[in-house]
């Protein structure tokens, strides 16, 4: 018997589902656009895919009006979200994340009520290193080593 709560709604897939289907396993064109230094932005479809990787593109609201007056593109930057195993952050994990926020972001590191770290102000061409370092296998192992 099929649980009616788990049944997909009738009709065509949503625009997000269509983007995911075309994305080559959530890759989209991210590999190419993240290396493009002409613009700090990325296409909307790729930004929607980034949300599935724990990140999204935003622009600096404090600079928005001035950049519009100067006819410049928005001051794009990324937010990277990293989940804490079991909702617990060890001091060594905080230090790693703080170091990444200082080196690659705007120095802002937040702990959220959703049990994640958030780093803000990461430029597109600086995304690869903090993304990789925050996903290292030792990240979850360090949790057990300190208990």
């Amino acid at each position: 018997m099929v649980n009616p709560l788990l049944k997909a709604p009738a009709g065509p897939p949503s625009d997000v589902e269509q983007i995911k289907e075309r994305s080559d396993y959530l890759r989209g064109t991210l590999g190419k656009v993240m290396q493009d230094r002409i613009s700090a932005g990325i296409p909307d479809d790729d930004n929607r895919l980034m949300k599935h990787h724990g990140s999204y593109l935003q622009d600096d609201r404090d600079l928005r009006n001035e950049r519009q007056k100067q006819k410049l593109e928005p001051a794009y930057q990324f937010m990277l979200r990293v989940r804490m195993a079991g909702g617990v952050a060890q001091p060594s994990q905080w230090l790693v994340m703080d170091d990444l926020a200082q080196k690659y972001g705007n120095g802002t590191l937040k702990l959220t009520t959703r049990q994640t770290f958030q780093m803000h102000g990461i430029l597109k061409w600086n995304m690869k290193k903090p993304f990789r370092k925050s996903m290292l296998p030792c990240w979850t192992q360090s949790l057990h080593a300190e208990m």
Side-chain angles (χ1 to χ4, degrees):
M1 184 167 144
V2 176
N3 183 340
L5 296 176
L6 300 177
K7 189 175 179 187
S14 70
D15 59 333
V16 174
E17 290 302 316
Q18 291 175 21
I19 292 168
K20 286 167 39 179
E21 285 175 4
R22 295 188 309 264
S23 71
D24 189 25
Y25 301 97
L26 300 179
R27 288 183 186 98
T29 60
L30 289 169
K32 181 180 176 185
V33 299
M34 295 303 272
Q35 294 176 15
D36 176 15
R37 289 187 173 253
I38 303 267
S39 169
I42 63 173
D44 187 52
D45 284 2
D46 284 327
N47 191 35
R48 293 171 109 177
L49 291 176
M50 286 295 288
K51 291 178 182 181
H52 297 283
H53 296 289
S55 184
Y56 63 85
L57 182 69
Q58 51 193 164
D59 75 292
D60 188 328
R61 288 181 288 211
D62 295 335
L63 300 175
R64 188 178 294 158
N65 290 337
E66 185 60 34
R67 291 184 68 85
Q68 283 176 343
K69 288 177 190 174
Q70 296 177 20
K71 301 194 185 307
L72 297 171
E73 94 172 342
Y76 289 121
Q77 56 192 346
F78 283 87
M79 183 280 302
L80 179 61
R81 185 177 292 125
V82 179
R83 185 157 311 281
M84 295 178 278
V88 177
Q90 299 300 321
S92 63
Q93 292 171 314
W94 175 269
L95 292 173
V96 168
M97 295 303 294
D98 184 58
D99 184 55
L100 292 173
Q102 297 298 323
K103 285 181 182 174
Y104 303 107
N106 64 8
T108 304
L109 181 62
K110 298 178 182 179
L111 288 173
T112 73
T113 58
R114 292 184 173 182
Q115 303 175 344
T116 63
F117 288 102
Q118 281 187 355
M119 286 185 286
H120 292 265
I122 306 170
L123 298 177
K124 177 171 78 170
W125 33 86
N126 290 338
M127 274 293 287
K128 195 173 194 176
K129 286 185 181 177
F131 190 82
R132 279 191 173 167
K133 288 183 180 186
S134 66
M135 302 301 169
L136 291 174
C138 63
W139 181 249
T140 54
Q141 293 170 359
S142 68
L143 172 71
H144 302 293
E146 294 184 35
M147 292 183 118

